[in-house]
Amino acid sequence: MSTERLIKLRADARLERITTLESRVRAGEDPATAYAETPEIDDLVVLTLRDEMLEERDQLAEFGLARLAARAGGPDAAEHQRNTDRVEFELLREIAAEVPELTVAVWRLSDRLQVD
């Protein structure tokens, strides 16, 4: 990935983060809570790259539906959760390998995944 592309992605993520924070605080949420719960700039960049990779592989819709099925709590929810966590973990590893500057954000996001 080029330096220019990473700079652009970070600028877009910074705008998204600021907008999200402003919206939450204007809605009456405690600023400290909003700040703590809003993803960091590099986290947003990693999530954007993850979604781009899924889109390139024609898996974005399938991934989204599997995440929804995992949250729905049906009989296959645990299996959907394991499968989507495994897919996401592999994508995040690819991002860390391709863009070392994002490694900390990748591992921060990986921490919420259940992978063996």
Side-chain angles (χ1 to χ4, degrees):
M1 170 181 305
S2 70
T3 302
E4 294 81 23
R5 175 130 161 64
L6 183 57
I7 289 170
K8 170 75 170 110
L9 287 170
R10 282 178 167 158
D12 291 347
R14 185 174 293 107
L15 180 60
E16 180 180 349
R17 187 169 198 276
I18 289 168
T19 303
T20 300
L21 286 169
E22 182 178 351
S23 175
R24 291 176 70 170
V25 171
R26 285 182 183 250
E29 192 169 336
D30 177 18
T33 301
Y35 186 82
E37 293 177 355
T38 302
E40 299 290 328
I41 291 168
D42 279 352
D43 294 7
L44 293 170
V45 170
V46 169
L47 294 173
T48 298
L49 292 172
R50 179 206 62 193
D51 290 348
E52 287 177 1
M53 292 168 76
L54 286 165
E55 181 80 32
E56 288 170 3
R57 299 168 188 192
D58 294 324
Q59 295 176 327
L60 186 59
E62 181 181 2
F63 181 82
L65 289 172
R67 277 283 186 221
L68 286 173
R71 289 188 193 120
D76 296 333
E79 182 178 353
H80 288 300
Q81 185 70 44
R82 280 191 306 276
N83 290 338
T84 54
D85 282 356
R86 191 172 21 258
V87 167
E88 185 168 2
F89 184 74
E90 290 304 319
L91 292 169
L92 294 177
R93 287 182 59 195
E94 286 182 44
I95 292 168
E98 183 180 330
V99 190
E101 300 96 311
L102 298 175
T103 301
V104 171
V106 163
W107 294 118
R108 191 171 34 240
L109 290 169
S110 298
D111 189 48
R112 64 182 169 76
L113 302 174
Q114 301 291 325
V115 290
D116 298 333

